[in-house]
Amino acid sequence: MPKKPPAPRFVPTHLTQEASWLLFNRRVLEQTRRPDFPLLERLRFLAIWASNLDEFFSARISRAFAEERGSPSYLALMNEAQDQAEEAGKLYLEFLKALVGLGLHILEPSQLTKAEKQYFGAYLAEEVAPLTDLIRPEALPELASQALYFASGEGLLQHLIRLPESVPRLLEVPGREGGFVRLGALVRMRSDLFLPGNQKLPLYEFRLIRLAQLARSRADWDELPEALETRLDGQVSHLELEEDFPPLWAETIRVALGLEPPEVFQLPPPLDLSFVATIVAHGPEAERFKPIVIQKPKGFAKDPFGYLNRRDLLLYHPFEDYAAVEAFAQMAVRDPKVEALRATLYRIGDENGIAQSLIEAAKAGKDVAVLLEGRARFDELANLEWSLRFAGAGVRVLPLPSKKVHAKALYVRRAGSEYVHLGTGNYNPVNGRLYTDLSLFTAHPVLTADVRAFFEALEHQQAPVLSTMRTASFIRDLLLESIQAEAHKKGEIILKFNHLTDPPILQALEEALNRGARVHLIIRSTLTTLWEGVEVKSLVGRFLEHARVAAFKNKGKWRVWAGSADLMPRNLDRRYELFFPILDARAKRKVLEILQAQLADDRNSFILLPKGMERRWGGKRDGQRLG
């Protein structure tokens, strides 16, 4: 009888992408309990959690909503999301008590003096009521996503009130330092200002979330404005009602919106806890993180081209100055020898020094072209505005290819020589100082030639063909080949990504594990396969972990790659990302030291296991630092 092959040592446990992402948001919520974080920073994580949950129901849930509604796995998602929401409500009440010690008070209207009530009554009448919509119940199917509503009536549901989004959710109480009152609570107090006939009736809070998708995912610049107009016409995926909401009205709204009972959460008011960010902004500096000491690369900003003629430069943001990236672009504008600039721009925000430098360069007569990604979800309108600014200044905005361009590259041609910046993060001045990302500046010919070829292909609406770097599905091919080469007892692999959900890559990792390779995973958010006995780490701390890195031992001669791509089918099959090798020996050592520090971290870590998560806090090894 032939021998049976040995049973695999590492048996997989599979999670859906949505379930894994919700567990990530639970890790965000857990940061509100960090004993080593200042109070306001812990409160900030409550606001981040709330915004993340809205993103879950507007974007992350879309596949499961379309394909799995009513299934046990879908109901498990609803149960986890509701459990988090209920826990967040309890944490909010705990924070209210803790804030008193800082002299910060979120007051109820009953705690206001007579004069303060009179003031806010006038404020509501003058500033809020004219902007507030009174809506008939027949219009329930047309209600807007993420707006805050109140329901009212005598017996039957008769009136819906939509609070204006232009008025802050949290208002300072004049004359009371550290005193605030919620807009919603004030509106409840003076419902007569918002209901017909000056009726004074109880108000009940609710809000809903719709799936947010562009009607045309491949819209080019001339189609984008119309596509944006229909973005929030998606189906309602979620409804939140305050816990005392009248049952008959609740059922009326649920049926009108086409939701199933598990998709409706009844929670203690206030709903949408993201407003606590206002308290964070007003609180004392002593309850915030102390500023980090940011290191600046010596000699680079004054003469980046001379520097890169001698050696590469690799920076680890935010611990090393993101301003060096902006200075690189600015020096290219000022240098009369610079002839051409190219850039990929994805999420760049409303004000952006690099984008402004590109405009100045075009006005100075330099050849400037950008691939501005008009389909960057939730940033489309800002990028549409930038497209007009670029066009008006003479910057060529390249046509959008069929695949999204998520690559992060800045190219400069100067006196016949070529220089590039390659990154793992967006060219965004805020995120560049908050996210941990890698920046590589280089004049290495094989890399600069590939970046030039990348832009030339996009300009001619062709698929990029690169020799050393990788883009699109070729990134998967590279990783599969590299993982398979380590599938032996002396093999070693380190992967650090935000998301790892690609089935072929996960399968290759499993095969490598069962052949004896050591596999180290640092996955911030979503991971859809776990193995008993494999330590998978998620770092959630002060800074958002954002760098994407892959390292392979390669018989003791480590090969290290970094880039813009997370390991998801959409990133590898439907986007043009850029994955680049770290060729400089010093830069490679630096990346490996960062990875080893994060593998050793016991201050910001969660160990992801098939049966749950384990916190590793309170230790001395902080992986969110340089050196």
Side-chain angles (χ1 to χ4, degrees), residues 348-419:
I348 60 172
D350 296 327
E351 297 298 327
N352 189 286
I354 292 172
Q356 198 59 46
S357 291
L358 295 170
I359 286 174
E360 292 174 24
K363 289 181 176 178
K366 301 182 191 294
D367 174 18
V368 185
V370 299
L371 194 298
L372 176 65
E373 183 47 76
R375 299 155 299 187
R377 188 167 59 195
F378 305 127
D379 281 71
E380 298 96 342
L381 187 60
N383 287 358
L384 185 60
E385 179 181 339
W386 275 110
S387 75
L388 298 176
R389 291 197 208 178
F390 284 139
V395 175
R396 295 201 314 284
V397 178
L398 303 182
L400 297 177
S402 58
K403 296 181 179 183
K404 269 189 182 181
V405 177
H406 193 249
K408 309 298 185 287
L410 180 60
Y411 168 91
V412 175
R413 189 175 75 241
R414 177 184 183 270
S417 297
E418 297 175 311
Y419 307 85

Side-chain angles (χ1 to χ4, degrees), residues 61-117:
I61 194 70
S62 56
R63 185 204 61 82
F65 186 85
E67 301 173 8
E68 298 179 2
R69 287 180 81 191
S71 70
S73 62
Y74 185 83
L75 294 177
L77 293 177
M78 296 302 104
N79 289 337
E80 172 63 21
Q82 178 150 12
D83 188 61
Q84 290 184 27
E86 291 173 355
E87 188 173 331
K90 295 173 183 176
L91 287 165
Y92 170 74
L93 295 179
E94 292 175 16
F95 274 116
L96 290 188
K97 296 175 185 176
L99 289 168
V100 171
L102 302 183
L104 298 170
H105 308 266
I106 299 181
L107 305 169
E108 292 299 321
S110 60
Q111 296 174 283
L112 299 176
T113 66
K114 180 179 179 182
E116 289 166 344
K117 289 178 181 179

